[in-house]
Amino acid sequence: MATITQAPPARPPVPTDRRRRVVARPAAWIVWGVVIFFFLNLLGVVASVLVSSFGRRWFDTWLPDGYTTSWYGRAWEEFALLQVIVVTLEVSVLVVGLSLLIGVPAAYVLARRSFPGKRLIFLVFLLPILMPPITYGIPLATVLYKFGLAGNMSGVVLANLVPSVPFVILTMTPFIEQIDPRIESAARMCGAGLRTVFLRVLTPLLVPGILASAILVLVRTVGMFELTFLTAGPDSQTLVVALYYSMSASGIRAQQSVDAMAVIYTSMMLVLLVVALRYVNPTQLVAQVKEDPEH
Amino acid sequence: MSAFSQLRLHGVSRRFGGQDALTDLDLTIEAGEFIALLGPSGCGKSTALNCLAGLLPLTAGSIWQDERRIDTLPPERRGFGMVFQSYALFPHLTVRANIAFGLRMRRLPKEETRRRTEEAVRLVRLEDHVDKLPGQLSGGQQQRVAIARAVVFEPSLVLMDEPLSNLDAKLRLEMRTEIRRLHQSLGLTTVYVTHDQEEALSLADRLVVLRKGRVQQIGSPREMHTRPANWHVADFMGYRNLWRGRVEQLDGSRATVESSGHRLLGEAMGDLQDRAEVVVAVRPEDVRVDGPGETRNAMSATIEVVEYQGRELAAEARTDAGQLLHLRTEQRIAPGDQVKLAIDPGRLLVYPADAERTTEDRSDRLTDSAGAPR
Amino acid sequence: MSGRPLTHWRHRLAERGVDRQLWLLAPALIFVVALFLYPFFYGLTLSFQPTDGGPFSDYARFFSDAYERDTIWITLRIALPAALLNVLAAVPIAYRMRGRFRGKRLVTTLLVVPITLGTVLTAQGLLNFLGPTGWFNRILLSTNLVDEPVRLTHNYWGVFFSLVITGFPFAFLLVLSYLSGIDPTLERAAATLGADWRRRFTRITLPLLMPGLATTFCLTFVLAFSVFPSAVLVGNPAGETRVISLAAYQAAYEQYDYPYASAIAMIMGFVELVIIALVLGARSRFYTGSTGGKG
Ligand SMILES: Nc1ncnc2c1ncn2[C@@H]1O[C@H](COP(=O)(O)OP(=O)(O)OP(=O)(O)O)[C@@H](O)[C@H]1O
Ligand SMILES: [Mg+2]
């Protein structure tokens, strides 16, 4: 990897100067040192789970005594993983679909129009993202239990919608703003009604945005622990929640089968991540900041 | 949608949160007419057009198509076509699909859609580009697609919002001719928005000049050119010399005005009182650089700045009394030359100085022209 | 007929920018009212209806019991330093990496991994990696840096590291995107005016970056403040990492005292919003307009 330093700023950038000089300035080395240290530890965290899940026995040594894949089979049966994965997928697909249906029209209005109370409405949509899930999750779960909606899949879906819909609104707004409103006006002047404008003009133009926010919601829903944890019943747990339960009860079960389950969860997330990164840039995974120009 | 014989706008107004963008627009559009909406930036031209199109709800007034009230209809049910400044082509559709869009929306039979699309493509001479996407076309070609898309379904009214302002000077002239040709061959009723007075004068049958959301004058190009209704319109129609003055003497339609050391004779436009404050308006091309023969409105001046503009020169001169003056001439002059200037009294228009002159930019212009030494 | 007043109303509403298109907001509004505002206010009223005592007795109970009251302090003591460290470490690293260089996409992609792993998996990995027989301690022991294993799990540090592992990449990517939103010619302009890199950074880049840093801090803080699974799994949930979300959870799901749980959730939300409001208040004192970049 090239170490970068500042190009001498007074000189205008020369095209051949793209890859900047490699200079061993101490500040640069410190920065890279910190980054590499961080990555090494990260690698250690992930690898120790992975190695352990394949280890036959692993006590107080550098590496396990021998290797086996049997923990996966055990985890699969012990934790009823098939059902858990199916539930996870069902919940995710429902949450993604519903939050797009609810969020995109709202994002459209918020991106395009100004009207009294718009700032207030925007703030209300922002709040679920700004609040820790536990704060609204506990009252929400209480209400859902009151109406008999929690403890099953509908409760999990409803609870996960709370941060997802605002998230769709926030990710979609810049995409909608990018589209010249006169294109819509042109369509209407050609005789297209509002619905046709949405289906034939806006949707095709918004495909990248819709894909991006769908993927982002999917990743967040699969990884969302707190809200699912508070609303799920025994047969509506998603993978993270099942993992949490197996970990907190790890005295009973072999450490390695918990690790195997964690690896299954990780690989699911990584697959999602690889798919996601084809459509969105890494920054978008964490926030709704517009894409930076380099990609 | 069927054609109409008259489109009437009654007191059409649009406010944006307490700010007037368009006030009390009354206008009757006859079938087949070419009307230009003209005015400086921000005067409400686009607002007027969007109200007519239905893209912007009115905040007062009504629009009538013959005996039918249409201002409550959504844009897609008014049956008008529109061309936008930025073309607004559908970026994901080919040229052909863009042009056919309006016909598809009307659910015409496939065969007819195809035929009429081909016709429109030929009309705007884009036969070689039908399968391209808009992003692969030049600005002029994109504008042609936009025009074809707006006229293909034979709308009863075509609205154009500064369709040429994104094009370079040469292309603008070509497209102007093309629009005129289309208008004549299809007999389309057209409302055309522009801030370019020359474009408006050359295209339109009738001009509507707006200022700050209000109609200033409605009339033929000739009326606009020779007899602007007030000094704001004059300013906009190319009367670059606007001086403040005071009426000395009134004689029928003639007024003698004293303006920063000059006695000028000109046409009284509107109600003038003796000793009234007035604004004098003269086009640069009406200032003649003459020999000593001319006596009326004569003044001697020193040339200060000269710009070469093809056959003519545009120049700034300062009269001996200190008045700054714009002129155009074919004579060879150079900075520092002493010249004798004269203005035909029939071309020197005298307007009442209205209360609005206090607006900063205008009054700056006025005091500037009124000879404050720089 | 009713034609005139109807037109009149339509005109009045049109002036304020209200027309039928705003109905597109309706689904999202209904959703946010039903699933966020209503539960929230339900929780708020519930918190004033304790199972016994006056309306404020649950709040009084929380603040009079040191074991409970301290959870606020414990949470802040974990969340504030973690969020601060994440943001502050992200600035120099992002500043150094903001240009183009080979491998940038790889680095940013790798950084997304821990975000998608989520807290539960990170906790499992940390237990393995940082535990007394984990690789980290092994390395320290075998290089003779320490004489006996350092205790890094089941205490404050375990939770802290888990927050850094998930929070730092998040902060880094945000700061990076804010930084690339600042027009680099501004710094070059400052250089032509004679500013060295230190002053270019402190006088130009940093002031323009401050609002972004404040936002980043808020989002990172929200993540850290709602720490729950890692506090249970890698922390010491009965003692030094008994965070406030855990207290709320225990009240609701172990004692089944929903009014008391709601009261704790309200206190938690309040504390969090106060911190956010402070930061955002400070943020509004900086220039927050366009920073001239393409981002
Ligand atoms: N959506 C809006 N909200 C608030 N004010 C607006 C809006 N649209 C237009 N205006 C205001 O209405 C006035 C007229 O605008 P309009 O777009 O009609 O001007 P215009 O004559 O088309 O100008 P230009 O030649 O620059 O296009 C302007 O002062 C503008 O600021
Ligand atoms: Mg306009």
Side-chain angles (χ1 to χ4, degrees):
Chain A
M1 259 182 261
T3 305
I4 54 155
T5 57
Q6 283 268 271
R11 190 182 52 179
V14 189
T16 53
D17 200 31
R18 265 281 160 76
R19 267 196 269 141
R20 291 180 236 171
R21 274 182 310 144
V22 181
V23 173
R25 278 212 286 177
W29 285 116
I30 292 174
V31 164
W32 281 103
V34 170
V35 172
I36 289 170
F37 181 72
F38 180 84
F39 276 127
L40 281 180
N41 283 296
L42 182 62
L43 186 72
V45 166
V46 177
S48 59
V49 176
L50 190 65
V51 170
S52 163
S53 75
F54 285 107
R56 201 181 298 282
R57 262 164 39 91
W58 191 8
F59 294 115
D60 212 8
T61 47
W62 280 96
L63 289 172
D65 304 343
Y67 296 93
T68 170
T69 51
S70 64
W71 297 114
Y72 285 86
R74 283 232 216 148
W76 192 264
E77 290 185 359
E78 270 179 47
F79 304 118
L81 279 190
L82 182 64
Q83 197 233 348
V84 170
I85 289 178
V86 168
V87 168
T88 309
L89 290 181
E90 280 173 354
V91 166
S92 316
V93 168
L94 278 174
V95 168
V96 169
L98 285 174
S99 56
L100 283 178
L101 275 183
I102 300 175
V104 173
Y108 174 81
V109 174
L110 290 173
R112 279 282 192 262
R113 307 292 307 273
S114 68
F115 50 90
K118 176 171 161 176
R119 286 174 66 91
L120 181 72
I121 288 183
F122 204 77
L123 183 71
V124 170
F125 284 137
L126 208 62
L127 269 181
I129 292 187
L130 273 186
M131 301 270 271
I134 291 271
T135 15
Y136 59 88
I138 287 182
L140 175 64
T142 316
V143 168
L144 289 177
Y145 273 113
K146 197 174 80 167
F147 291 105
L149 284 168
N152 51 36
M153 213 158 80
S154 57
V156 177
V157 171
L158 286 176
N160 273 293
L161 279 178
V162 174
S164 301
V165 169
F167 194 78
V168 167
I169 293 179
L170 286 191
T171 13
M172 286 307 292
T173 312
F175 282 99
I176 294 170
E177 277 167 352
Q178 272 171 18
I179 296 178
D180 186 351
R182 275 174 288 203
I183 289 181
E184 290 157 46
S185 302
R188 301 201 73 187
M189 292 309 293
C190 285
L194 198 57
R195 204 154 50 111
T196 322
V197 172
F198 252 89
L199 293 181
R200 308 260 314 243
V201 178
L202 276 179
T203 312
L205 293 176
L206 282 178
V207 164
I210 291 177
L211 260 181
S213 66
I215 283 282
L216 296 177
V217 170
L218 188 67
V219 170
R220 288 172 68 104
T221 307
V222 174
M224 168 53 76
F225 170 74
E226 285 91 345
L227 293 174
T228 316
F229 179 62
L230 293 178
T231 49
D235 51 3
S236 53
Q237 290 175 8
T238 62
L239 201 45
V240 229
V241 176
L243 182 59
Y244 174 86
Y245 278 122
S246 68
M247 277 178 72
S248 43
S250 63
I252 314 163
R253 303 236 161 67
Q255 176 70 28
Q256 283 94 328
S257 69
V258 175
D259 283 324
M261 180 164 172
V263 170
I264 293 176
Y265 170 76
T266 313
S267 26
M268 188 161 160
M269 282 308 261
L270 283 180
V271 168
L272 274 183
L273 185 64
V274 169
V275 175
L277 288 174
R278 289 183 58 104
Y279 298 102
V280 297
N281 114 9
T283 326
Q284 281 180 303
L285 276 171
V286 297
Q288 301 74 44
V289 186
K290 272 193 212 151
E291 200 157 327
D292 53 322
E294 49 162 341
H295 297 299
Chain B
M1 206 143 293
S2 62
F4 53 84
S5 62
Q6 247 188 9
L7 195 73
R8 292 188 311 279
L9 283 71
H10 281 305
V12 169
S13 309
R14 173 71 211 195
R15 292 160 64 86
F16 289 107
Q19 194 202 347
D20 289 305
L22 183 69
T23 317
D24 271 341
L25 173 62
D26 288 315
L27 180 66
T28 304
I29 301 168
E30 304 289 342
E33 235 184 342
F34 197 119
I35 290 190
L37 285 182
L38 186 64
S41 183
C43 69
K45 307 180 294 285
S46 302
T47 306
L49 208 66
N50 288 331
C51 286
L52 194 49
L55 295 169
L56 208 54
L58 308 186
T59 53
S62 56
I63 303 175
W64 299 80
Q65 181 172 312
D66 295 329
E67 296 316 312
R68 204 157 69 98
R69 182 166 181 173
I70 61 164
D71 60 287
T72 48
L73 293 182
E76 64 270 19
R77 304 216 358 239
R78 297 190 188 187
F80 300 164
M82 187 156 175
V83 180
F84 295 83
Q85 177 176 359
S86 55
Y87 320 134
L89 300 178
F90 307 125
H92 58 303
L93 300 180
T94 61
V95 167
R96 193 199 306 273
N98 260 285
I99 295 177
F101 193 85
L103 300 170
R104 294 250 164 80
M105 290 302 119
R106 286 169 176 69
R107 302 185 196 290
L108 294 184
K110 265 222 172 65
E111 187 45 38
E112 190 179 353
T113 303
R114 206 189 52 79
R115 185 178 55 75
R116 284 170 70 172
T117 309
E118 294 303 319
E119 221 168 79
V121 167
R122 261 199 308 282
L123 197 66
V124 293
R125 294 181 290 208
L126 282 172
E127 292 93 335
D128 298 340
H129 307 284
V130 281
D131 292 318
K132 290 187 180 168
L133 290 175
Q136 301 164 321
L137 297 180
S138 75
Q141 290 164 342
Q142 292 189 38
Q143 194 51 275
R144 286 207 182 90
V145 179
I147 292 173
R149 182 179 66 180
V151 302
V152 69
F153 51 87
E154 292 169 9
S156 55
L157 176 69
V158 180
L159 307 166
M160 301 198 186
D161 192 353
E162 311 206 19
L164 305 185
S165 61
N166 278 2
L167 304 178
D168 66 55
K170 183 165 171 294
L171 207 52
R172 195 145 61 213
L173 283 180
E174 279 174 29
M175 288 300 295
R176 199 204 273 178
T177 319
E178 199 136 330
I179 288 177
R180 187 72 199 167
R181 182 174 64 83
L182 272 175
H183 172 70
Q184 280 167 359
S185 63
L186 300 177
L188 292 167
T189 317
T190 309
V191 177
Y192 186 101
V193 161
T194 177
H195 59 251
D196 183 345
Q197 47 120 349
E198 207 182 307
E199 207 170 282
L201 288 173
S202 66
L203 281 171
D205 303 323
R206 262 196 312 153
L207 270 60
V208 179
V209 177
L210 289 174
R211 196 177 84 88
K212 293 185 177 170
R214 287 179 184 277
V215 172
Q216 304 289 304
Q217 188 172 4
I218 301 183
S220 70
R222 175 172 296 276
E223 278 167 12
M224 269 322 156
H225 193 75
T226 55
R227 306 192 69 78
N230 58 42
W231 71 261
H232 300 290
V233 180
D235 180 21
F236 193 69
M237 298 305 297
Y239 289 72
R240 280 191 77 190
N241 296 303
L242 294 170
W243 309 318
R244 230 178 242 163
R246 192 175 286 284
V247 175
E248 295 261 282
Q249 195 187 328
L250 275 174
D251 176 16
S253 72
R254 286 287 155 109
T256 308
V257 176
E258 123 79 35
S259 167
S260 52
H262 297 286
R263 272 177 72 89
L264 301 168
L265 181 63
E267 288 280 317
M269 307 291 292
D271 264 353
L272 293 183
Q273 308 293 320
D274 213 16
R275 307 299 303 161
E277 294 246 7
V278 290
V279 174
V280 173
V282 180
R283 288 175 174 279
E285 51 269 41
D286 290 336
V287 178
R288 292 207 313 275
V289 183
D290 270 340
E294 182 66 67
T295 52
R296 291 176 307 173
N297 292 339
M299 46 193 109
S300 57
T302 313
I303 303 290
E304 289 191 341
V305 183
V306 176
E307 280 173 42
Y308 176 72
Q309 294 194 338
R311 264 176 58 205
E312 288 183 326
L313 295 176
E316 270 183 34
R318 195 172 292 282
T319 66
D320 294 350
Q323 174 73 62
L324 188 76
L325 185 137
H326 300 275
L327 60 92
R328 293 175 75 90
T329 177
E330 291 185 26
Q331 293 190 18
R332 286 170 164 273
I333 48 175
D337 285 359
Q338 289 285 331
V339 288
K340 291 276 179 216
L341 304 176
I343 301 162
D344 181 344
R347 301 284 176 87
L348 189 146
L349 308 182
V350 182
Y351 291 99
D354 53 36
E356 285 189 67
R357 70 179 169 185
T358 48
T359 320
E360 275 158 23
D361 54 344
R362 298 294 146 195
S363 56
D364 278 353
R365 260 303 272 288
L366 282 172
T367 32
D368 186 335
S369 324
R374 292 193 184 171
Chain C
M1 294 258 291
S2 63
R4 276 192 57 82
L6 237 155
T7 320
H8 176 71
W9 271 107
R10 189 161 36 223
H11 287 166
R12 290 278 298 271
L13 289 176
E15 182 182 339
R16 294 185 169 75
V18 178
D19 59 47
R20 285 183 311 172
Q21 235 183 38
L22 297 194
W23 281 111
L24 290 174
L25 268 181
L29 276 181
I30 292 172
F31 152 82
V32 87
V33 167
L35 286 177
F36 183 72
L37 293 181
Y38 169 69
F40 189 83
F41 285 106
Y42 177 82
L44 191 64
T45 42
L46 197 63
S47 73
F48 291 116
Q49 297 162 1
T51 35
D52 46 42
F56 294 101
S57 63
D58 265 345
Y59 289 92
R61 180 171 148 208
F62 181 85
F63 284 108
S64 59
D65 183 350
Y67 186 59
E68 301 281 284
R69 191 179 57 219
D70 282 352
T71 56
I72 296 182
W73 167 237
I74 287 174
T75 314
L76 288 180
R77 208 170 66 100
I78 296 174
L80 279 178
L84 212 56
L85 173 79
N86 287 339
V87 175
L88 290 186
V91 174
I93 299 179
Y95 188 69
R96 203 142 275 288
M97 293 196 187
R98 87 205 129 127
R100 268 164 208 271
F101 60 92
R102 263 194 315 180
K104 178 169 174 177
R105 174 102 192 175
L106 179 75
V107 172
T108 46
T109 305
L110 282 180
L111 279 171
V112 181
V113 173
I115 301 172
T116 51
L117 293 185
T119 39
V120 177
L121 185 101
T122 310
Q124 175 74 349
L126 283 174
L127 285 179
N128 288 359
F129 179 66
L130 293 182
T133 62
W135 284 335
F136 189 80
N137 268 315
R138 267 176 193 287
I139 292 171
L140 289 187
L141 286 170
S142 59
T143 50
N144 288 325
L145 283 173
V146 292
D147 295 332
E148 56 187 75
V150 195
R151 245 197 86 196
L152 293 171
T153 52
H154 296 297
N155 61 8
Y156 176 86
W157 291 108
V159 183
F160 187 82
F161 288 136
S162 111
L163 289 181
V164 170
I165 284 198
T166 42
F168 168 74
F170 181 89
F172 171 81
L173 290 174
L174 272 176
V175 172
L176 186 64
S177 78
Y178 281 116
L179 261 178
S180 32
I182 297 176
D183 187 352
T185 49
L186 292 179
E187 271 203 35
R188 277 190 224 131
T192 62
L193 299 174
D196 58 15
W197 80 264
R198 217 177 291 275
R199 273 188 289 176
R200 288 203 298 277
F201 180 75
T202 52
R203 297 285 169 80
I204 309 289
T205 311
L206 196 58
L208 289 177
L209 186 62
M210 274 323 268
L213 285 188
T215 311
T216 311
F217 178 82
C218 285
L219 294 175
T220 321
F221 176 72
V222 172
L223 276 190
F225 192 77
S226 57
V227 51
F228 178 80
S230 51
V232 177
L233 300 173
V234 262
N236 173 11
E240 56 181 328
T241 68
R242 186 171 185 267
V243 291
I244 188 163
S245 46
L246 192 55
Y249 172 77
Q250 285 171 342
Y253 290 84
E254 286 170 15
Q255 299 155 22
Y256 300 104
D257 187 345
Y258 293 109
Y260 186 46
S262 302
I264 301 179
M266 294 300 138
I267 294 167
M268 180 176 172
F270 179 77
V271 170
E272 191 244 10
L273 287 181
V274 164
I275 305 256
I276 299 247
L278 285 179
V279 177
L280 291 184
R283 175 185 188 268
S284 66
R285 303 174 52 136
F286 290 97
Y287 168 80
T288 52
S290 151
T291 47
K294 289 164 275 181

